Amino acid sequence: MRIHAVQQEAGIPCSRSWRTIRVCLVGLLFLPISQTSWTSTSYSVMTGSDSVYGPGSSVGNIKLPSTLKTRYKQPESYHPNLRFWFTPDSFESTSTADGTAVGTWTNVANICYNGHPSSSECTTAKITAGDNMAVEALMQSDAAQKPVYKREVLNRRGVVRFTRNNTDGTQGQFLQMETTSSSGTAGFTTNPFTSNSNSYTIFLVARTVQATSDTGDHGILNLAMGTGDATEQGLRLVKPSVTCVSGSGLSTLSCTGTACTKCNSGAYTNLGQLGVKFGSTPTEDENSCNSTCHSSGGCDISSPPSACLSLLGPTGVQFLQDPEQWRIITLRADSGTLEGFIDGFHSSSQPPLSVTGETAASVAQFRLGVVMGGDSSSPSYGSVDIAEVLIYDTALTVQEMDRIGNYLANKFDLRYFRLNADVGSATRSVAISKSCGCPTASWHVPTCNTSVGPYCLAGESLASGTCTATGADQNFKVITGNSFEGLPGGTGAKGPAEGGNKFKIQGYFLLPTDVNVNGDPGIFGASTSGNVIQIGTDSVTDLDTATTSKYLAVSVGRVPLDCRSPRSEVPCLPSDFSEVFATDCRIRTTPTAGTNDATTLCSNWIAPSPVPEIICTAPAGIGQGLDIIIYWHGVATVLSNWYHYEPPVIHSLHPNRVSYKGGAIVTVTGRHFGTAAKWTATTSGGLQTANVQKAEIIIESRRPTKCRKTTWVSDQQLLCEIPPIPTVRQAVNTQAKTLQVKVLVNAVNQRNFRTSVSTLTYIDVPTYYACDNDKISTKSKQRKCFECCRSACIVDEFAQGGSKKGFTYTFCDRACYQYCGYVSGRTRRLLSVESLLQSKHDALAQELIWGHASSSEEASGWLNSSLWFSAT
């Protein structure tokens, strides 16, 4: 998974990259604010706070896969205009094996739940009484024409693979829509392509796989007329096969004639770009430069003719978009007009695929993997992989297309997708803020110009049309409780680990431009005159803000560095992200004055007033340098290293005196210990993920240790099973036989201060823990440690009245073997003999030797060795 949108890191200048956009958000404040109740009946194309997931449908026992039930990040499955949704999640939820032939691709759109908001939204094509879904299905009953399911092809997600059966594409595999899963009749029960004045929007994630000898068009998607029609009316999406000047295919590919996937320099006669035919005539938009390259005797693919590039988008972003690479394709039809976008750029006035002035055809059939007549005549099959398809029976807005495209780009880790993040655009879908000037490495609609607002921003100075100021558009401030603390931009904000504090986020361009959903002139609504987009006077209780707030989410967590980088090659999955969502997020303030256009001169440009503002209740958590992630309808804005939870504080330890042997349960009382999740060492499956840092309690001595077991009780209380003293030299009070250590609550790299109340005292500590066992790599140092340890141990034992009685020496020997690092049994026995001889216990020494020896010869050897050992 990728988070696409805006990102600010502390201390990093504001800029935009071609994939992840880094900018400066405006302001962040914390203060108590009253809560408001919100209701609305309007829907976003993305999930929101009121999304509900039911048990599924009895039609084929179909359920929405659990992987499609994430709020704020995925398409709304019951959106009234989402008619069909074909996704790999359907196969993954049933553990479909790799290479399985696909006879049915299940639709998961509008599997309504019991109590769906409006029965009219579950049309006559759906079953009533809370068991509502489109009954049509993508089917293939002919075994020879079934595509196959391939697992883990794209960002570890599966795809449906369609393959030609011959080089000219007259035979192959395809799926077609049938009225029900059992009817065998091509077509629809209720036709989504004619229901709203012939308006619809199709999203497709696909790539073609041309073989060296392939010729003709690779069919990808087809909307056709009825079964008796042999024309090309409707919609055809194809990828023409690349062709070369005869004999000029790359020799290493063993090409013959004009067929080849790659040509020698300057020898391309067809560039193999996506093309469409649309309408009842129909009209073709062919971007492969076939005629131009043929007439010029071949084109250079690294530098195509300008006549070819001009077909592929607006000036400045004209480039080939190879269909052999994975692409997000958006097709939007509105009566007789078709626009086709590749990898975003949805606000472009010059989309790569475009047909105008047509008459909509009476579409009656839908197919994947082929284009053909309604009567199945003249087929052109494609070798194509398709990962996901969504079909809406209306022409979606630019912002809505951005949101679905962003979901697909995140899901499949497609790096070329571009959102509209331009502050001068009326169709911006991203929360964004910026300093004076034009960002670099980005695409702008309209073209960024520092002479006009909002690029210059009110109050910024200009020199010859160039911004001279580099500051943010307003200062950052943080207010916590009754105190005020001014923080420089990018420093971030603090909050208690238990959460619950209210916070504000402010910014000129914090709100998406389609906050207005009820048709009234409102914030960033329709322009009134001179192309100046007016900011309306909607109140905070207006339907606009109420509706939009349902699709606002703010979280605090960690976005892995690899997932922030625009050039990372590491796939990012949902499990890579660690975040906790704030609650009660609402739009608090909307502007009542100002302009937001890219034509008004800086001197006349008026900043939004009051500054747009959202409020949330912060979640509980621990750690510092966390990211704040703002989601608008699934599109994320990342503020990196922006939030810091207060560090832990210890108020008391009970008991605060424990045995040196460990095992005691100590209650740690304080604040800012965080949530239970942060004290759980494992994730599902028993594996700890690399990016998830866990909290712990550290017992700090010369060798720090951790609690044997830590139990989280609350944000203010922990239980620690105390470990024994580590067997290293310690700062033991030999008179009191105690050792003082510090207890540190380590909450994801934040620790409490070392104070008297965080001091834990080990009692009855043997005084030999003061002996030096740090450097015992040589015999002399090891022996010195043993002598110190044994002497201290014997003194302790006799001071306690000889509690071990006749076993005092044996007890001390054993304790000191361990403390001084002896591991050899022979060496331990020699030391015991030596200590007995030095203590004039010759009889005991002889008894020890004879007790361990198996023969008189071995006993004599032991005795000689021990006497030698004693003499060295």
Side-chain angles (χ1 to χ4, degrees):
M1 170 181 167
R2 287 271 163 191
I3 285 193
H4 290 238
V6 290
Q7 169 180 304
Q8 181 202 325
E9 295 183 16
I12 296 179
C14 302
S15 64
R16 296 186 194 177
S17 69
W18 55 269
R19 185 170 188 280
T20 301
I21 307 164
R22 295 183 178 183
V23 295
C24 297
L25 199 75
V26 181
L28 185 65
L29 295 93
F30 290 74
L31 72 170
I33 299 173
S34 62
Q35 299 182 16
T36 308
S37 175
W38 308 84
T39 59
S40 177
T41 57
S42 299
Y43 295 104
S44 169
V45 293
M46 300 299 292
T47 51
S49 61
D50 64 343
S51 295
V52 179
Y53 305 105
S57 170
S58 62
V59 180
N61 194 28
I62 296 172
K63 295 179 174 63
L64 186 69
S66 60
T67 50
L68 299 177
K69 295 181 179 181
T70 303
R71 288 177 174 82
Y72 307 114
K73 294 184 179 183
Q74 293 178 322
E76 182 59 85
S77 63
Y78 67 85
H79 189 280
N81 296 112
L82 178 60
R83 285 298 312 279
F84 299 110
W85 186 4
F86 304 104
T87 168
D89 302 75
S90 300
F91 299 106
E92 293 160 0
S93 65
T94 57
S95 301
T96 302
D98 183 64
T100 299
V102 176
T104 303
W105 197 351
T106 303
N107 170 45
V108 297
N110 267 294
I111 303 176
C112 298
Y113 58 88
N114 206 8
H116 194 275
S118 172
S119 60
S120 63
E121 291 170 2
C122 292
T123 66
T124 55
K126 305 164 190 175
I127 300 173
T128 57
D131 192 19
N132 309 307
M133 64 173 294
V135 295
E136 298 95 331
L138 276 177
M139 305 291 297
Q140 181 54 257
S141 57
D142 187 339
Q145 293 192 300
K146 288 183 179 180
V148 297
Y149 171 70
K150 299 297 295 181
R151 298 186 58 164
E152 299 188 359
V153 172
L154 180 59
N155 199 29
R156 304 182 191 177
R157 309 307 296 264
V159 304
V160 176
R161 177 162 295 170
F162 301 81
T163 306
R164 282 182 164 190
N165 293 339
N166 55 6
T167 59
D168 64 3
T170 57
Q171 299 176 23
Q173 302 166 346
F174 75 104
L175 293 173
Q176 70 176 5
M177 193 72 73
E178 297 184 359
T179 55
T180 69
S181 60
S182 59
S183 69
T185 302
F188 308 94
T189 301
T190 298
N191 194 333
F193 300 103
T194 59
S195 57
N196 284 328
S197 301
N198 297 301
S199 297
Y200 54 85
T201 308
I202 301 174
F203 297 90
L204 184 74
V205 179
R207 70 170 177 185
T208 55
V209 187
Q210 178 186 339
T212 301
S213 56
D214 283 350
T215 60
D217 291 342
H218 283 257
I220 302 172
L221 179 147
N222 183 207
L223 299 180
M225 300 277 282
T227 55
D229 183 79
T231 70
E232 296 183 347
Q233 295 184 67
L235 172 64
R236 293 183 170 211
L237 176 66
V238 301
K239 184 261 185 183
S241 295
V242 170
T243 58
C244 311
V245 174
S246 184
S248 295
L250 291 184
S251 58
T252 55
L253 299 177
S254 302
C255 305
T256 59
T258 61
C260 199
T261 54
K262 294 183 180 180
C263 312
N264 293 329
S265 178
Y268 282 83
T269 54
N270 190 304
L271 301 180
Q273 299 297 292
L274 291 173
V276 294
K277 284 185 180 180
F278 172 74
S280 59
T281 306
T283 300
E284 181 179 15
D285 184 12
E286 185 270 318
N287 293 323
S288 292
C289 222
N290 190 38
S291 59
T292 300
C293 291
H294 265 104
S295 62
S296 63
C299 294
D300 186 348
I301 198 169
S302 63
S303 181
S306 58
C308 300
L309 288 178
S310 64
L311 304 173
L312 299 173
T315 302
V317 288
Q318 297 167 341
F319 50 88
L320 297 178
Q321 295 161 313
D322 184 7
E324 299 287 296
Q325 302 295 321
W326 285 101
R327 299 295 178 189
I328 299 174
I329 304 165
T330 307
L331 302 171
R332 179 174 64 175
D334 192 359
S335 188
T337 299
L338 177 77
E339 296 174 299
F341 305 92
I342 302 172
D343 296 331
F345 292 133
H346 294 135
S347 56
S348 172
S349 60
Q350 189 176 338
L353 302 171
S354 178
V355 174
T356 60
E358 262 291 345
T359 301
S362 299
V363 171
Q365 298 184 74
F366 173 68
R367 302 184 182 101
L368 292 178
V370 68
V371 294
M372 62 174 67
D375 62 354
S376 302
S377 61
S378 305
S380 290
Y381 291 90
S383 290
V384 56
D385 289 348
I386 298 178
E388 191 148 339
V389 182
L390 296 96
I391 300 174
Y392 291 81
D393 63 2
T394 189
L396 298 181
T397 66
V398 169
Q399 294 96 325
E400 288 173 326
M401 291 191 294
D402 263 9
R403 288 157 189 161
I404 297 298
N406 177 70
Y407 152 74
L408 294 170
N410 281 326
K411 180 174 184 175
F412 297 109
D413 195 34
L414 300 176
R415 304 164 187 276
Y416 300 108
F417 183 81
R418 291 159 180 81
L419 290 160
N420 180 10
D422 182 15
V423 295
S425 172
T427 56
R428 173 178 49 83
S429 58
V430 179
I432 194 169
S433 170
K434 61 182 293 298
S435 299
C436 181
C438 295
T440 59
S442 186
W443 177 68
H444 301 277
V445 177
T447 302
C448 180
N449 183 343
T450 56
S451 297
V452 299
Y455 304 108
C456 58
L457 296 183
E460 298 281 12
S461 59
L462 298 172
S464 301
T466 302
C467 294
T468 58
T470 58
D473 42 7
Q474 78 178 53
N475 293 327
F476 292 89
K477 296 180 181 179
V478 176
I479 300 175
T480 305
N482 297 321
S483 63
F484 173 82
E485 179 183 9
L487 296 175
T491 303
K494 294 181 180 179
E498 62 266 27
N501 53 300
K502 295 285 186 178
F503 66 91
K504 291 183 180 180
I505 302 176
Q506 293 184 330
Y508 285 176
F509 311 111
L510 174 63
L511 308 179
T513 57
D514 59 347
V515 170
N516 188 312
V517 297
N518 60 3
D520 297 332
I523 176 171
F524 303 134
S527 59
T528 57
S529 63
N531 293 322
V532 177
I533 300 169
Q534 300 297 317
I535 296 175
T537 57
D538 292 351
S539 69
V540 295
T541 57
D542 182 81
L543 177 61
D544 291 350
T545 53
T547 299
T548 303
S549 290
K550 294 196 304 182
Y551 304 104
L552 161 67
V554 177
S555 67
V556 177
R558 296 186 185 276
V559 178
L561 181 61
D562 285 335
C563 300
R564 300 178 198 157
S565 171
R567 294 175 176 83
S568 172
E569 296 300 324
V570 179
C572 292
L573 304 174
S575 58
D576 295 323
F577 294 81
S578 174
E579 61 182 337
V580 180
F581 281 92
T583 57
D584 302 322
C585 290
R586 302 286 186 268
I587 298 176
R588 176 65 182 177
T589 302
T590 57
T592 58
T595 55
N596 177 36
D597 69 287
T599 58
T600 300
L601 293 175
C602 294
S603 57
N604 298 326
W605 192 81
I606 302 173
S609 177
V611 177
E613 176 181 282
I614 60 178
I615 64 169
C616 294
T617 301
I622 54 178
Q624 60 181 341
L626 300 175
D627 303 327
I628 296 176
I629 309 166
I630 306 168
Y631 294 93
W632 281 116
H633 301 266
V635 178
T637 298
V638 181
L639 306 180
S640 296
N641 305 317
W642 249 71
Y643 197 83
H644 314 288
Y645 284 105
E646 297 284 356
V649 176
I650 292 180
H651 292 161
S652 67
L653 303 175
H654 182 77
N656 60 4
R657 293 171 64 86
V658 298
S659 168
Y660 81 97
K661 299 178 181 179
I665 305 298
V666 171
T667 300
V668 183
T669 304
R671 284 194 66 193
H672 308 312
F673 296 158
T675 61
K678 289 297 182 182
W679 294 88
T680 304
T682 59
T683 58
S684 60
L687 299 176
Q688 185 168 351
T689 57
N691 70 298
V692 178
Q693 296 174 283
K694 294 298 176 183
E696 59 190 1
I697 297 179
I698 297 174
I699 310 300
E700 188 180 53
S701 63
R702 289 196 64 190
R703 179 184 293 170
T705 56
K706 301 176 184 178
C707 296
R708 284 176 168 175
K709 179 182 179 182
T710 302
T711 303
W712 180 90
V713 178
S714 70
D715 175 74
Q716 301 180 11
Q717 190 177 96
L718 303 170
L719 301 180
C720 170
E721 182 180 338
I722 299 298
I725 292 178
T727 53
V728 297
R729 184 182 183 183
Q730 302 281 3
V732 178
N733 183 332
T734 55
Q735 297 298 317
K737 300 183 67 177
T738 60
L739 171 67
Q740 291 189 335
V741 297
K742 294 298 182 183
V743 175
L744 300 177
V745 176
N746 183 28
V748 191
N749 297 328
Q750 282 187 301
R751 299 181 179 182
N752 56 280
F753 288 107
R754 297 167 178 83
T755 64
S756 58
V757 295
S758 66
T759 300
L760 180 73
T761 301
Y762 282 106
I763 62 174
D764 300 328
V765 180
T767 58
Y768 63 72
Y769 273 92
C771 296
D772 187 2
N773 66 351
D774 287 352
K775 298 178 180 179
I776 52 175
S777 57
T778 62
K779 280 187 176 182
S780 60
K781 293 197 181 282
Q782 198 172 34
R783 180 180 172 195
K784 184 176 181 180
C785 170
F786 184 83
E787 291 174 351
C788 173
C789 175
R790 190 172 189 278
S791 173
C793 179
I794 292 173
V795 171
D796 283 350
E797 286 301 310
F798 284 115
Q800 294 175 14
S803 60
K804 302 296 186 298
K805 298 182 178 181
F807 297 97
T808 295
Y809 295 104
T810 302
F811 167 79
C812 288
D813 286 348
R814 289 176 178 174
C816 293
Y817 297 152
Q818 180 180 5
Y819 184 77
C820 295
Y822 288 103
V823 294
S824 166
R826 180 178 185 275
T827 302
R828 290 199 301 269
R829 288 190 288 273
L830 289 175
L831 280 172
S832 296
V833 171
E834 176 198 9
S835 64
L836 290 171
L837 291 173
Q838 290 178 343
S839 304
K840 307 302 182 183
H841 290 83
D842 294 354
L844 291 175
Q846 295 283 352
E847 181 181 345
L848 177 65
I849 289 175
W850 286 101
H852 285 284
S854 59
S855 64
S856 57
E857 291 80 5
E858 183 177 355
S860 299
W862 272 105
L863 182 59
N864 292 334
S865 297
S866 63
L867 293 174
W868 173 85
F869 188 91
S870 177
T872 57

